[in-house]
Amino acid sequence: MQNQTRLITAGLAFGESPRWHDGRLWLCNWGTGEIIAVDADGKSDVVLTVPAILPYSIDWLANGQLLVISGREGLLLRQEADGTLVTHADLRSLSNSPWNEIVVDGRDNIYVNGGGPAPAPGEHFGPGTIVLITPDGTIRQVADNIAFANGMAVTPDNKTLIIAESHANRLTAFDIAADGSLANRRVWADLDGFPDGICLDAEGAAWYADVPNKRCVRVREGGEVLHTVAVDRGCFACMLGGPDGKTLFIAAAEWRGFEHMVSDARTGQVLSAEAPAPGVGWPSYSPGIR
């Protein structure tokens, strides 16, 4: 089954890390340092400019404070009440490689992926890691050897973390222990594609964005394909949101290779499509949460 899309906004560089928050879709406009928020009519505002070009990703603590992972700088930043950014966690001692995605679960455990060892000669990325920052500020690595760590999501019971391993063509799951540690690593779904950003829905399925195949795909655990949304450019990330959580928002842009990610091209778009089930889990879409 294929769903029709609607253009919400255009003229972005690379939209990444979309989050439904406070009645709008927030996302990072990679290449510009901007974090923007877009309403249902396509009106967009720059809500914050951060000292990062790419990668950088966002999520919120339960108290409503915005977190920004500044990937190349190795810092997790927190926005204070006066709008200033302060360092919430310093990840530089763990890795000199860029950090990528962030998700905050329902217990305020913060998971950040990327980092890891330096890439091999000729490669853009080495094996990635997942780092946990607990509410008391403790930082520790909880997973390694991730094949290009991308989107992450946590199930609504806070018991499972799912991560996109782009270079392994799979979604991988971990059990989350009471202390936030990850265990029981397993393949959640082998895919005919390259998963980037992901989100979860109330029927237990996952949506993943696929850059080279220019689509977003909804799959069950085990890999059965349920829906496909095809577009005319690479899909970098997706998020369920809207008033009832049943709108799939897609961050898409033309892909010219890693060496051209920062350019004057503004082919980035936000598209939407109707989804069969509302979003659940973390990152949260619910207007009453975060």
Side-chain angles (χ1 to χ4, degrees):
M1 177 180 175
Q2 296 208 3
N3 298 39
Q4 297 298 311
T5 59
R6 181 169 74 94
L7 178 65
I8 301 297
T9 193
L12 305 177
F14 281 93
E16 265 285 6
S17 190
R19 305 284 188 258
W20 184 258
H21 176 75
D22 197 22
R24 295 192 292 177
L25 185 77
W26 294 51
L27 71 161
C28 300
N29 191 16
W30 282 13
T32 69
E34 297 171 347
I35 296 170
I36 66 172
V38 185
D39 67 18
D41 297 321
K43 181 180 181 296
S44 65
D45 295 311
V46 177
V47 292
L48 183 65
T49 300
V50 299
I53 301 299
L54 62 87
Y56 57 103
S57 301
I58 59 172
D59 207 352
W60 283 263
L61 293 169
N63 66 6
Q65 285 186 291
L66 176 67
L67 297 175
V68 184
I69 180 65
S70 182
R72 294 190 182 278
E73 291 70 36
L75 298 174
L76 178 61
L77 307 175
R78 184 185 71 246
Q79 188 177 36
E80 300 289 79
D82 63 1
T84 59
L85 290 171
V86 299
T87 298
H88 187 82
D90 188 334
L91 307 180
R92 289 175 293 186
S93 64
L94 297 175
S95 175
N96 292 321
S97 295
W99 300 89
N100 190 20
E101 270 282 358
I102 178 175
V103 64
V104 184
D105 74 7
R107 297 177 294 188
D108 256 9
N109 285 322
I110 304 164
Y111 295 93
V112 178
N113 71 33
E123 297 290 329
H124 290 284
F125 300 94
T129 64
I130 304 176
V131 167
L132 167 67
I133 303 111
T134 57
D136 67 3
T138 302
I139 304 170
R140 67 181 187 274
Q141 182 177 304
V142 289
D144 61 5
N145 290 317
I146 307 293
F148 191 173
N150 248 314
M152 287 188 296
V154 174
T155 54
D157 60 6
N158 292 302
K159 291 183 177 179
T160 306
L161 181 144
I162 300 172
I163 184 171
E165 291 194 88
S166 298
H167 288 175
N169 310 102
R170 68 185 174 221
L171 301 180
T172 296
F174 295 87
D175 292 341
I176 303 176
D179 66 354
S181 298
L182 302 181
N184 189 26
R185 180 176 182 162
R186 60 199 180 276
V187 175
W188 195 85
D190 283 314
L191 307 173
D192 180 25
F194 300 84
D196 198 323
I198 65 171
C199 59
L200 306 178
D201 73 23
E203 295 181 354
W207 285 94
Y208 71 89
D210 186 335
V211 175
N213 291 303
K214 302 179 181 179
R215 64 190 182 185
C216 285
V217 182
R218 181 175 180 247
V219 295
R220 290 192 199 279
E221 184 174 5
E224 179 190 355
V225 173
L226 303 174
H227 295 84
T228 300
V229 180
V231 305
D232 67 350
R233 61 200 67 200
C235 295
F236 286 81
C238 54
M239 184 66 197
L240 288 159
D244 60 1
K246 294 176 69 174
T247 300
L248 181 74
F249 292 99
I250 302 168
E254 293 180 6
W255 175 242
R256 301 185 182 89
F258 290 106
E259 63 274 16
H260 300 296
M261 287 190 73
V262 178
S263 73
D264 292 331
R266 294 292 181 264
T267 65
Q269 298 179 343
V270 175
L271 306 162
S272 71
E274 294 182 7
V280 295
W282 317 98
S284 172
Y285 79 88
S286 175
I289 304 174
R290 293 186 188 151

